[in-house]
Amino acid sequence: MKEVRFFYAPDAATSTELPQEEAMHALRVLRLKAGDEMMLMDGKGSFYRAEVTLAHTHHCCYEIKESLPQQPQWKGRVHLAIAPTKLMDRIEWMTEKAVEIGVDELSFLNCQFSERRVVKVPRIEKIIVSAVKQSRKAWKPVINEIVPFSDFIAQPREGRKYIAHCYDEIPRTYLYEELQKPSDTDDALVLIGPEGDFSIDEVRKAVASGYQSVHLGESRLRTETAGLAAVMMMQLTKTK
């Protein structure tokens, strides 16, 4: 039996044609033709069973046969805010895996010890879309432009907020244990610093702004590993 392919179409319910990049993949790589079945995802909580009505050069048109609203796979919002690494491919890898595991929002931080202060969001968006299709997630995570650390922590945010760091002089608790404690909210945000960690002043400012000081275990982790570990911990405590 031929596997049904998933395509990202944010306007699936109101359009009759795949976005250009998705159409090129459908026509040139998968060789879809009129009459073939495909699944569309709008990134907003719905899948659609559709049939190809036109497959020609740069255009792939469809007709929706069935709308399939999805239920969230976990409780609350999972938000990771991380300082990008000097080698961007490491953060790109982490982004892909975090989306596959399950994350609702991804933010980038420009910290005192950051070695990278620019992030190409369109590139990250493509990685996110690919991972959403691969893992068949009904919701596409929100991706935010990089912002200064002080600006980020100054923004009011709902839910539980944590900053993970390696300073022994600032009391820390284990993130996984904190996430398991009863709370009146299921939303969680974890901050992960650059390869040289947050500065101690940044940690103190975050704590003063309502963030809880935490660690991710006894091992000292690379930035992208720490980010992925934080997402996994949030998922393990929020999966229904």
Side-chain angles (χ1 to χ4, degrees):
M1 181 177 175
K2 188 175 181 181
E3 181 183 2
V4 177
R5 300 290 184 168
F6 279 72
F7 297 90
Y8 175 61
D11 300 318
T14 57
S15 179
T16 58
E17 184 174 346
L18 285 180
Q20 185 175 13
E21 189 168 338
E22 294 291 274
M24 297 294 285
H25 182 67
L27 300 174
R28 293 190 176 184
V29 179
L30 301 177
R31 306 287 186 182
L32 294 188
K33 59 185 183 301
D36 285 345
E37 185 176 292
M38 60 182 176
M39 292 292 290
L40 310 179
M41 48 176 57
D42 62 6
K44 304 165 191 172
S46 290
F47 292 161
Y48 302 87
R49 186 173 63 83
E51 182 179 298
V52 178
T53 57
L54 173 68
H56 180 68
T57 314
H58 303 297
H59 301 280
C60 184
C61 298
Y62 60 83
E63 179 184 356
I64 290 177
K65 297 295 184 179
E66 185 179 10
S67 177
L68 303 166
Q70 303 296 298
Q71 294 298 317
Q73 296 176 335
W74 56 85
K75 300 177 290 184
R77 286 184 62 80
V78 173
H79 186 178
L80 175 69
I82 188 168
T85 54
K86 183 177 182 180
L87 297 176
M88 197 60 198
D89 60 343
R90 288 162 54 185
I91 285 296
E92 291 176 354
W93 174 87
M94 184 220 69
T95 297
E96 177 184 73
K97 304 311 173 189
V99 172
E100 291 177 6
I101 292 168
V103 66
D104 295 292
E105 189 168 358
L106 181 63
S107 300
F108 293 108
L109 305 173
N110 182 0
C111 302
Q112 182 176 337
F113 298 148
S114 289
E115 293 188 272
R116 173 174 288 276
R117 303 183 187 278
V118 176
V119 172
K120 295 180 180 179
V121 169
R123 165 68 179 167
I124 300 295
E125 280 277 6
K126 289 183 178 181
I127 292 170
I128 287 175
V129 168
S130 178
V132 163
K133 292 191 293 184
Q134 169 66 34
S135 57
R136 300 185 178 181
K137 295 290 192 297
W139 281 266
K140 184 179 78 67
V142 174
I143 174 74
N144 300 312
E145 296 277 357
I146 190 168
V147 297
F149 176 84
S150 57
D151 291 353
F152 187 89
I153 64 171
Q155 297 174 13
R157 299 180 186 279
E158 300 294 329
R160 294 192 277 185
K161 304 181 296 184
Y162 305 95
I163 180 167
H165 63 88
C166 300
Y167 293 101
D168 291 332
E169 55 266 52
I170 299 178
R172 299 170 295 161
T173 52
Y174 185 29
L175 174 62
Y176 185 65
E177 292 178 349
E178 290 299 326
L179 288 167
Q180 293 183 85
K181 293 180 179 178
S183 173
D184 58 359
T185 177
D186 290 315
D187 295 350
L189 161 63
V190 178
L191 310 185
I192 300 294
E195 290 155 293
D197 205 350
F198 295 111
S199 71
I200 195 166
D201 286 340
E202 286 173 329
V203 176
R204 287 171 174 155
K205 287 178 181 178
V207 171
S209 297
Y211 286 78
Q212 186 171 346
S213 172
V214 296
H215 65 83
L216 302 177
E218 297 306 317
S219 298
R220 194 177 183 90
L221 306 176
R222 291 180 182 271
T223 295
E224 71 275 15
T225 311
L228 200 56
V231 169
M232 180 59 79
M233 291 178 193
M234 286 188 278
Q235 267 297 330
L236 288 173
T237 54
K238 295 182 179 301
T239 301
K240 292 183 176 180

